[in-house]
Amino acid sequence: MGERSKSHLLDLLLAALCLLGALRPNVCAAAAGDVTAGPIFACDVAANATLAGFPFCNASLSAHERVEDLLPRLTLKEKIGNLVNNATAVPRLGIPKYGWWSEALHGVSDVGPATFFSHLIPGATSFPQVILTAASFNASLFEAIGKVVSTEARAMHNLGHAGLTFWSPNINIFRDPRWGRGQETPGEDPFLASKYAAGYVKGLQETDDEDPEKLKVAACCKHYTAYDVDNWKGIQRYTFDAKVTKQDMDDTFQPPFKSCVIDGNVASVMCSYNQVNGKPTCADPDLLAGTIRGDWKLNGYIVSDCDSVSVLYYDQHYTKTPEEAAAISIKSGLDLNCGTFLKEHTLAAIKGGHLKEEDVDKAIRNNLAVLMRLRFFDGDPRKLPYGNLGRDDVCSAANQELAREAARQGIVLLKNDLERLPLDAAAVESLAVIGPNANVTVTMIGNYAGPPCKYTTPLQGLSANVKNTLYAPGCADVGCQGSSLQLAAATDAASKADATILVVGADQSIERESFDRVSLLLPGLQTELITEVAKVAKGPVVLVIMSGGPFDITFAKSNHNISAILWVGYPGEAGGAAIADVIFGFFNPSGRLPVTWYPESFADSVNMTDMRMRPDPSTGYPGRTYRFYTGETVYKFGDGLSYSNFTHHLISAPKLVTVPLDASHACHSQRCLSVPLADSGCSAGPLKFDLRLQVRNAGAARGSHTVFLFMTPPPVHGAPKKHLMGFEKVFVEPSGAAEVAFSVEVCRDMSLVDENGERKVALGAHVLHVGSLKHSVSLTI
Ligand SMILES: *[C@@H]1O[C@H](CO)[C@@H](O)[C@H](O)[C@H]1NC(C)=O
Ligand SMILES: *[C@@H]1O[C@H](CO)[C@@H](O)[C@H](O)[C@H]1NC(C)=O
Ligand SMILES: *[C@@H]1O[C@H](CO)[C@@H](O)[C@H](O)[C@H]1NC(C)=O
Ligand SMILES: *[C@@H]1O[C@H](CO)[C@@H](O)[C@H](O)[C@H]1NC(C)=O
Ligand SMILES: *[C@@H]1O[C@H](CO)[C@@H](O)[C@H](O)[C@H]1NC(C)=O
Ligand SMILES: *[C@@H]1O[C@H](CO)[C@@H](O)[C@H](O)[C@H]1NC(C)=O
Ligand SMILES: *[C@@H]1O[C@H](CO)[C@@H](O)[C@H](O)[C@H]1NC(C)=O
Ligand SMILES: *[C@@H]1O[C@H](CO)[C@@H](O)[C@H](O)[C@H]1NC(C)=O
């Protein structure tokens, strides 16, 4: 935190404001000192011995037994009060009110009302926005960040500053480059999004091996499902009906959620605002009770977006009465309502015969079980595991270093003509640092953030490495409208300095929740600023794009006066330090683009609301993402350079794999293009093979390298051109080598979804590629 010297003065100021009643009571409680800023919890046996007699307070019983004890003690009214995020207290049972809504997308955030910051905890470690972390393609980093975030969350909980249920991560597919919330997601690829979901959730929840039921905090994968239009040309998420084919549903939109529930064992899923094929997701029994709870066996609760139950009644007019809206959502499998709608209408729904008390019981059971698993009913959390976490565990030096490391690992080097990067700090006497994002703070943390521990802006990070810095913002803000262009100071600085760094891009005024872009070009006059600076710059020009979504920067790619281009996402609190680490070569860039960078023509010709992933040659529809898109790109999914060169060499892989198939199967007598997974003997035991590779570092710089294993299946059933089936990041010393092995499960990794949403194994040649290396594996029966 490092700012404790100022604390006495602030104490006095806060005390004065609290006396005047100008601040929220919880802030004042926290400011009054550690003692009063205690956590909320149920079953305070130490304060009231009577509570010890309740089996639901007995920590040696299972969560299930405790829930079954508690449920019958609650009145219907009390149950209904626990269907909403501001759950009502039951004082006669020693249960305080509980706020379910907290957020921790990339650090503990105060976007949800159950978490707040105060003088006691003024900030938390703010990691890069998720899209940049995804670009690291380092699965252990996803989990490492999750662990740090939940440590800070538990520490804040002990101090009465946070809940235990965090509605993160956002794992929707970044399907369209214009989406304002694409920044929050791990990108366009279902496999990467699945790995991110499982990794981050495991880090957050950190279930211990001894008692896998116990949760450190409860994560929530959202927004289920096919949600990725916020507000595009007036089309609002609240009323948008996503028309999704069975095939796209099962091989694009659902996989991250499936992985989150099955591999990540998440404690919650949030249903979205939009409709899918005419049904609101929070009122679709097939999507909720059928898929999440039935097929995937969610051990946890299903929560609505805030307040999507109200939205399906008032905005979508999906039911005639509010009671029917309450009933259909609960009966479909919804357990908790972010909002107040279910509190207001559930009783009437029961009285009107639309719903039974048993339906409510089912939901309450799921909610209470999660609180049990979080040890909310175990008494004072300071006497329980994680009980010793406190102030010093928030914003610790190690946590903040991980935020810087995560940004370094994600930053993508897109262009490096004549290897002008890295710059030699000793040789650069003066550095021009130009652009509307060159000295930003809050822009770096994107949305769904909390106040960070501190900021290192790009200007601060860069100028720490050189004697003389010339700073010129170039425009008043990223909007860079005509009157705000400050060209003269910018070109003057560039013409004098030994090197020029331009930091441009976007912020939340350009792309955000409830606001999608209509253009992929850099905002306002940014292009002009960059071009004019590049024209007169004395030294090499490095263009740094700070943004969540991609831009069409073809002009910069082809401008020979721009030597290097970096994409830095929204790099978090330590972004400026990480950018400097890469530019001056203290860190060898290893990030890769997690999304396709499309040309502006894409935005001109494709409706954002068109959910189809696959191209349609008859209308010229180009399809979406690297798996299907047929048009030109500015940069491709997976693009990213290094200060070194890595080569791949195949060590071993089979050429032929035989899929066992019953002797009586029709495909033995007739030629089949594919076999349904159900018929293929896949269930008998995993059909596996190993693909082993050697990675050599052929350059002079040490560094990490992500090995991407792509597969091109036979062209049947509208199969993707290629899809990612594995990635592994390895560190390699110069002239060194590392071995990477992928364990391929044929039915899981090489199957595809047909037009009816059925998973099949295609027969014939599957081409596996790693960089320029290609290897064909033939599947036969
Ligand atoms: C808690 O449950 C355990 C296991 O059933 C039992 O042995 C113990 O007596 C219970 N504790 C209290 C205080 O009732
Ligand atoms: C202790 O808990 C019991 C059971 O909930 C309650 O009836 C009683 O009023 C509580 N006593 C105090 C002093 O709060
Ligand atoms: C819940 O309570 C919080 C804090 O008291 C308040 O800010 C919020 O508006 C309430 N309602 C919902 C729906 O979260
Ligand atoms: C850069 O931003 C920091 C943080 O907001 C601020 O303190 C500093 O004055 C700014 N520097 C310049 C040169 O504007
Ligand atoms: C590149 O820089 C040179 C001067 O260094 C200038 O003459 C030329 O116009 C510039 N070209 C572009 C495309 O900016
Ligand atoms: C985009 O949507 C509008 C409104 O639904 C429709 O009129 C138009 O034909 C669509 N354009 C394309 C290229 O699909
Ligand atoms: C990588 O290899 C290419 C092609 O051999 C070469 O032009 C380039 O200089 C190498 N780059 C590095 C950083 O070693
Ligand atoms: C992946 O991230 C972890 C956590 O920061 C780090 O220790 C490890 O070195 C990274 N792996 C590679 C290959 O860079």
Side-chain angles (χ1 to χ4, degrees), residues 47-51 54 91-94:
N48 183 344
T50 318
L51 299 174
F54 291 131
R92 66 187 176 82
L93 296 176

Side-chain angles (χ1 to χ4, degrees), residues 419 643-645 699:
E419 279 154 39
Y643 296 150
S644 199
N645 270 329

Side-chain angles (χ1 to χ4, degrees), residues 741-772:
F742 291 99
S743 170
V744 178
E745 272 187 37
V746 174
C747 300
R748 185 192 64 190
D749 303 330
M750 295 178 76
S751 58
L752 47 87
V753 175
D754 79 0
E755 295 80 351
N756 300 315
E758 187 178 7
R759 238 178 214 286
K760 291 187 164 167
V761 183
L763 301 175
H766 292 67
V767 181
L768 305 181
H769 11 169
V770 177
S772 56

Side-chain angles (χ1 to χ4, degrees), residues 136-142 144-145 402 405-406 409 587 590 703-706 728-732:
S136 75
F137 283 90
N138 180 351
S140 50
L141 178 66
F142 306 158
I145 294 175
L402 188 64
E405 168 68 13
Q409 286 198 33
F587 187 87
S590 59
S704 291
H705 170 72
T706 297
E728 192 68 45
K729 196 165 196 176
V730 286
F731 178 83
V732 196

Side-chain angles (χ1 to χ4, degrees), residues 438-441 455 457 459-460 471:
N439 195 35
V440 288
T441 54
Y455 286 110
T457 72
L459 178 64
Q460 289 164 341
Y471 166 62

